[in-house]
Short mmCIF file of all heavy atoms in Angstrom, two decimals:
data_model
loop_
_atom_site.label_atom_id
_atom_site.label_comp_id
_atom_site.label_asym_id
_atom_site.label_seq_id
_atom_site.Cartn_x
_atom_site.Cartn_y
_atom_site.Cartn_z
N VAL A 1448 113.42 87.98 114.39
CA VAL A 1448 112.37 87.03 114.51
C VAL A 1448 111.00 87.80 114.46
O VAL A 1448 110.72 88.56 115.44
CB VAL A 1448 112.45 86.24 115.73
CG1 VAL A 1448 111.26 85.24 115.81
CG2 VAL A 1448 113.78 85.43 115.81
N GLU A 1449 110.24 87.50 113.38
CA GLU A 1449 108.85 88.13 113.36
C GLU A 1449 107.79 87.36 113.99
O GLU A 1449 107.94 86.12 114.17
CB GLU A 1449 108.51 88.35 111.90
CG GLU A 1449 109.42 89.00 111.03
CD GLU A 1449 110.44 88.16 110.16
OE1 GLU A 1449 110.61 86.98 110.65
OE2 GLU A 1449 110.88 88.61 109.21
N SER A 1450 106.73 88.06 114.38
CA SER A 1450 105.59 87.37 114.92
C SER A 1450 104.37 88.32 114.72
O SER A 1450 104.56 89.49 114.38
CB SER A 1450 105.72 87.06 116.46
OG SER A 1450 105.92 88.28 117.12
N GLY A 1451 103.12 87.69 114.88
CA GLY A 1451 101.93 88.57 114.79
C GLY A 1451 101.15 88.44 113.50
O GLY A 1451 100.00 89.07 113.43
N GLY A 1452 101.59 87.64 112.57
CA GLY A 1452 100.82 87.49 111.38
C GLY A 1452 99.54 86.63 111.59
O GLY A 1452 99.40 86.13 112.68
N GLY A 1453 98.71 86.53 110.56
CA GLY A 1453 97.49 85.74 110.72
C GLY A 1453 96.55 86.05 109.64
O GLY A 1453 96.91 86.74 108.69
N LEU A 1454 95.30 85.55 109.89
CA LEU A 1454 94.19 85.72 108.92
C LEU A 1454 93.23 86.73 109.46
O LEU A 1454 92.84 86.63 110.65
CB LEU A 1454 93.48 84.39 108.66
CG LEU A 1454 92.20 84.46 107.81
CD1 LEU A 1454 92.47 84.90 106.46
CD2 LEU A 1454 91.54 83.04 107.89
N VAL A 1455 92.88 87.75 108.73
CA VAL A 1455 91.96 88.81 109.10
C VAL A 1455 91.03 89.20 107.98
O VAL A 1455 91.48 89.00 106.82
CB VAL A 1455 92.79 89.95 109.68
CG1 VAL A 1455 93.60 90.63 108.55
CG2 VAL A 1455 91.92 90.98 110.36
N GLN A 1456 89.93 89.64 108.36
CA GLN A 1456 88.95 90.16 107.29
C GLN A 1456 89.37 91.53 106.88
O GLN A 1456 89.97 92.30 107.68
CB GLN A 1456 87.51 90.13 107.89
CG GLN A 1456 86.93 88.73 108.07
CD GLN A 1456 85.43 88.77 108.35
OE1 GLN A 1456 84.97 89.74 108.99
NE2 GLN A 1456 84.72 87.71 108.02
N ALA A 1457 88.92 91.84 105.67
CA ALA A 1457 89.21 93.22 105.14
C ALA A 1457 88.61 94.26 106.11
O ALA A 1457 87.53 94.08 106.70
CB ALA A 1457 88.56 93.35 103.78
N GLY A 1458 89.35 95.30 106.39
CA GLY A 1458 89.01 96.34 107.35
C GLY A 1458 89.45 96.15 108.79
O GLY A 1458 89.36 96.91 109.55
N GLY A 1459 90.08 94.92 109.01
CA GLY A 1459 90.56 94.57 110.26
C GLY A 1459 91.99 95.05 110.54
O GLY A 1459 92.57 95.81 109.69
N SER A 1460 92.53 94.73 111.66
CA SER A 1460 93.75 95.18 112.03
C SER A 1460 94.72 93.98 112.49
O SER A 1460 94.26 92.96 112.99
CB SER A 1460 93.70 96.16 113.20
OG SER A 1460 92.99 97.29 112.79
N LEU A 1461 95.96 94.19 112.29
CA LEU A 1461 96.97 93.26 112.89
C LEU A 1461 98.27 94.14 113.36
O LEU A 1461 98.43 95.21 112.83
CB LEU A 1461 97.46 92.28 111.81
CG LEU A 1461 96.54 91.10 111.56
CD1 LEU A 1461 97.19 90.24 110.38
CD2 LEU A 1461 96.44 90.21 112.67
N ARG A 1462 98.93 93.53 114.28
CA ARG A 1462 100.18 94.24 114.72
C ARG A 1462 101.33 93.13 114.63
O ARG A 1462 101.23 92.04 115.25
CB ARG A 1462 100.06 94.65 116.19
CG ARG A 1462 101.26 95.44 116.63
CD ARG A 1462 101.25 95.62 118.17
NE ARG A 1462 102.19 96.73 118.63
CZ ARG A 1462 102.72 96.67 119.83
NH1 ARG A 1462 102.40 95.73 120.63
NH2 ARG A 1462 103.48 97.78 120.17
N LEU A 1463 102.30 93.46 113.81
CA LEU A 1463 103.44 92.65 113.61
C LEU A 1463 104.49 93.09 114.59
O LEU A 1463 104.70 94.26 114.82
CB LEU A 1463 103.93 92.70 112.19
CG LEU A 1463 102.97 92.40 111.12
CD1 LEU A 1463 103.63 92.38 109.70
CD2 LEU A 1463 102.32 90.96 111.43
N SER A 1464 105.34 92.16 115.00
CA SER A 1464 106.43 92.45 115.94
C SER A 1464 107.68 91.81 115.39
O SER A 1464 107.64 90.70 114.74
CB SER A 1464 106.19 91.84 117.29
OG SER A 1464 105.02 92.40 117.92
N CYS A 1465 108.79 92.41 115.62
CA CYS A 1465 110.17 91.86 115.18
C CYS A 1465 111.02 92.05 116.36
O CYS A 1465 111.37 93.20 116.75
CB CYS A 1465 110.63 92.49 113.95
SG CYS A 1465 112.29 92.08 113.50
N ALA A 1466 111.68 90.97 116.86
CA ALA A 1466 112.66 91.01 117.92
C ALA A 1466 114.03 90.95 117.26
O ALA A 1466 114.32 90.04 116.50
CB ALA A 1466 112.45 89.81 118.87
N ALA A 1467 114.85 91.98 117.67
CA ALA A 1467 116.26 92.00 117.10
C ALA A 1467 117.20 91.49 118.15
O ALA A 1467 116.99 91.72 119.36
CB ALA A 1467 116.60 93.38 116.78
N SER A 1468 118.24 90.83 117.67
CA SER A 1468 119.23 90.23 118.56
C SER A 1468 120.22 91.24 119.20
O SER A 1468 120.97 90.89 120.05
CB SER A 1468 120.03 89.08 117.95
OG SER A 1468 120.73 89.57 116.86
N GLU A 1469 120.22 92.50 118.56
CA GLU A 1469 121.24 93.48 118.95
C GLU A 1469 120.57 94.81 119.25
O GLU A 1469 119.39 95.07 118.80
CB GLU A 1469 122.31 93.64 117.84
CG GLU A 1469 123.08 92.34 117.60
CD GLU A 1469 124.26 92.49 116.75
OE1 GLU A 1469 124.73 93.70 116.59
OE2 GLU A 1469 124.80 91.55 116.13
N ASN A 1470 121.33 95.67 119.90
CA ASN A 1470 120.78 97.04 120.23
C ASN A 1470 120.45 97.78 118.94
O ASN A 1470 121.23 97.83 117.96
CB ASN A 1470 121.85 97.76 120.94
CG ASN A 1470 121.27 99.10 121.67
OD1 ASN A 1470 120.68 99.86 120.97
ND2 ASN A 1470 121.62 99.22 122.89
N ILE A 1471 119.25 98.25 118.90
CA ILE A 1471 118.72 98.98 117.80
C ILE A 1471 119.60 100.16 117.33
O ILE A 1471 119.73 100.53 116.20
CB ILE A 1471 117.27 99.38 117.92
CG1 ILE A 1471 116.34 98.16 117.91
CG2 ILE A 1471 116.82 100.43 116.95
CD1 ILE A 1471 114.85 98.46 118.23
N PHE A 1472 120.22 100.73 118.36
CA PHE A 1472 121.04 101.92 118.04
C PHE A 1472 122.33 101.57 117.31
O PHE A 1472 123.00 102.49 116.80
CB PHE A 1472 121.38 102.69 119.29
CG PHE A 1472 120.23 103.56 119.90
CD1 PHE A 1472 119.60 103.25 121.06
CD2 PHE A 1472 119.88 104.67 119.14
CE1 PHE A 1472 118.53 104.01 121.53
CE2 PHE A 1472 118.89 105.49 119.64
CZ PHE A 1472 118.14 105.06 120.84
N SER A 1473 122.64 100.29 117.23
CA SER A 1473 123.80 99.84 116.47
C SER A 1473 123.38 99.65 114.91
O SER A 1473 124.32 99.46 114.15
CB SER A 1473 124.31 98.47 116.92
OG SER A 1473 123.42 97.45 116.57
N LEU A 1474 122.12 99.86 114.61
CA LEU A 1474 121.64 99.71 113.27
C LEU A 1474 121.48 101.05 112.59
O LEU A 1474 121.21 102.02 113.24
CB LEU A 1474 120.39 98.85 113.30
CG LEU A 1474 120.39 97.60 113.93
CD1 LEU A 1474 118.98 97.03 114.13
CD2 LEU A 1474 121.29 96.60 113.30
N ASN A 1475 121.59 101.03 111.24
CA ASN A 1475 121.31 102.25 110.48
C ASN A 1475 119.82 102.44 110.31
O ASN A 1475 119.36 103.64 110.22
CB ASN A 1475 122.01 102.23 109.14
CG ASN A 1475 123.52 102.01 109.27
OD1 ASN A 1475 124.10 101.09 108.84
ND2 ASN A 1475 124.13 103.07 109.87
N ALA A 1476 119.07 101.33 110.12
CA ALA A 1476 117.62 101.44 109.93
C ALA A 1476 117.02 100.07 109.98
O ALA A 1476 117.73 99.13 110.06
CB ALA A 1476 117.37 102.00 108.55
N MET A 1477 115.71 100.01 110.32
CA MET A 1477 114.97 98.81 110.32
C MET A 1477 113.72 99.04 109.43
O MET A 1477 113.30 100.16 109.28
CB MET A 1477 114.59 98.44 111.72
CG MET A 1477 115.70 98.06 112.63
SD MET A 1477 115.21 97.27 114.15
CE MET A 1477 114.84 95.63 113.58
N GLY A 1478 113.14 97.96 108.97
CA GLY A 1478 111.97 98.12 108.17
C GLY A 1478 111.19 96.87 107.95
O GLY A 1478 111.56 95.81 108.46
N TRP A 1479 109.97 97.02 107.37
CA TRP A 1479 109.13 95.90 106.98
C TRP A 1479 109.05 95.88 105.51
O TRP A 1479 108.85 96.96 104.83
CB TRP A 1479 107.79 96.11 107.64
CG TRP A 1479 107.74 95.90 109.11
CD1 TRP A 1479 107.81 96.86 110.02
CD2 TRP A 1479 107.68 94.65 109.80
NE1 TRP A 1479 107.76 96.33 111.29
CE2 TRP A 1479 107.71 94.98 111.14
CE3 TRP A 1479 107.64 93.34 109.44
CZ2 TRP A 1479 107.70 93.94 112.13
CZ3 TRP A 1479 107.56 92.32 110.40
CH2 TRP A 1479 107.60 92.64 111.70
N TYR A 1480 109.15 94.72 104.95
CA TYR A 1480 108.98 94.43 103.47
C TYR A 1480 107.85 93.29 103.36
O TYR A 1480 107.67 92.59 104.38
CB TYR A 1480 110.27 94.03 102.82
CG TYR A 1480 111.30 95.12 102.81
CD1 TYR A 1480 111.92 95.57 103.87
CD2 TYR A 1480 111.57 95.69 101.44
CE1 TYR A 1480 112.89 96.62 103.75
CE2 TYR A 1480 112.56 96.66 101.40
CZ TYR A 1480 113.21 97.09 102.46
OH TYR A 1480 114.11 98.15 102.46
N ARG A 1481 107.23 93.24 102.24
CA ARG A 1481 106.35 92.14 101.98
C ARG A 1481 106.46 91.58 100.65
O ARG A 1481 106.91 92.21 99.73
CB ARG A 1481 104.88 92.67 102.23
CG ARG A 1481 104.40 93.64 101.17
CD ARG A 1481 103.07 94.18 101.61
NE ARG A 1481 102.56 95.20 100.64
CZ ARG A 1481 101.53 96.04 100.94
NH1 ARG A 1481 100.76 95.89 102.05
NH2 ARG A 1481 101.15 96.93 100.04
#
């Protein structure tokens, strides 16, 4: 489940978050795509 998106002006900052339902160590990798 992602969160943190929005509208921002050029030069600004945002922080996206993703909550995983399982222990991250059980995964091979995680990432962001757009």
Side-chain angles (χ1 to χ4, degrees):
V1448 180
E1449 304 98 335
S1450 61
L1454 173 64
V1455 65
Q1456 288 188 332
S1460 298
L1461 281 175
R1462 188 193 195 205
L1463 304 184
S1464 300
C1465 173
S1468 62
E1469 299 190 20
N1470 192 310
I1471 288 176
F1472 283 111
S1473 74
L1474 305 172
N1475 297 117
M1477 295 189 75
W1479 292 97
Y1480 291 71
R1481 66 187 178 191

